[in-house]
Amino acid sequence: MDNVKAAAYIRRYEGFSKLPYKCPTGHLTIGYGHNLENGISAKVALFILQEDLTQAEQAVKKAFPWWWKLDDARQFVLVDMAFNMGLAGLKGFKKMLTAVEQGDYQTAAKEMLASKWAAQVGRRAIENARIMETGKWD
């Protein structure tokens, strides 16, 4: 079967929806008629993760012009936090962000750990704070 031709046909009749919706038979659907009740493959999940990570990175770059001055490890921490709680959530870390911008990574790490977010995500916050403080990303 010609998968390119088949996909074009299906796209034409299914239409695209970036948000989940109930199809006429009541199934939760997204994209070009993908039934979410069937789940997704690990390959699709990885693709979505990469897309979401790219969006988080672009948002952080745009929001914090000084982001470029950070090393790769500290850039990652900010992107991971934005990925995890959204850019608005990251922007709520005003003292931490000020410390990062000033190069005071020890204070930034302490501010990260003294947050509701740290209590919610546990080990992730501890690891991110360590990365922020040391600049080492294993």
Side-chain angles (χ1 to χ4, degrees):
M1 178 177 79
D2 182 341
N3 281 341
V4 173
K5 190 174 180 179
Y9 181 92
I10 290 170
R11 282 194 317 268
R12 182 171 63 236
Y13 289 103
E14 286 288 340
F16 173 75
S17 178
K18 71 177 186 174
L19 298 173
Y21 66 95
K22 294 274 186 168
C23 76
T25 60
H27 294 91
L28 189 59
T29 308
I30 196 166
Y32 295 102
H34 178 77
N35 182 343
L36 283 172
E37 294 167 10
N38 293 334
I40 59 174
S41 67
K43 183 178 179 180
V44 170
L46 185 57
F47 179 80
I48 292 170
L49 171 61
Q50 292 299 328
E51 287 288 310
D52 291 347
L53 185 57
T54 297
Q55 288 179 11
E57 182 179 358
Q58 293 304 319
V60 172
K61 284 178 183 178
K62 185 176 179 182
F64 309 110
W66 43 263
W67 182 84
W68 296 96
K69 297 176 184 177
L70 301 175
D71 57 56
D72 184 60
R74 292 179 175 113
Q75 287 178 348
F76 161 74
V77 170
L78 297 182
V79 171
D80 182 59
M81 291 177 74
F83 177 88
N84 181 242
M85 63 185 135
L87 184 63
L90 175 61
K91 283 183 170 183
F93 284 72
K94 295 184 185 316
K95 291 179 183 177
M96 185 221 37
L97 291 168
T98 298
V100 173
E101 185 177 9
Q102 294 172 350
D104 183 357
Y105 303 122
Q106 186 174 14
T107 297
K110 287 178 183 175
E111 289 294 327
M112 291 166 67
L113 294 175
S115 68
K116 182 179 177 182
W117 168 78
Q120 292 170 338
V121 301
R123 178 112 180 98
R124 185 180 199 165
I126 293 167
E127 187 69 13
N128 275 352
R130 184 194 62 76
I131 295 168
M132 180 58 72
E133 188 169 1
T134 65
K136 294 183 179 160
W137 183 21
D138 301 330

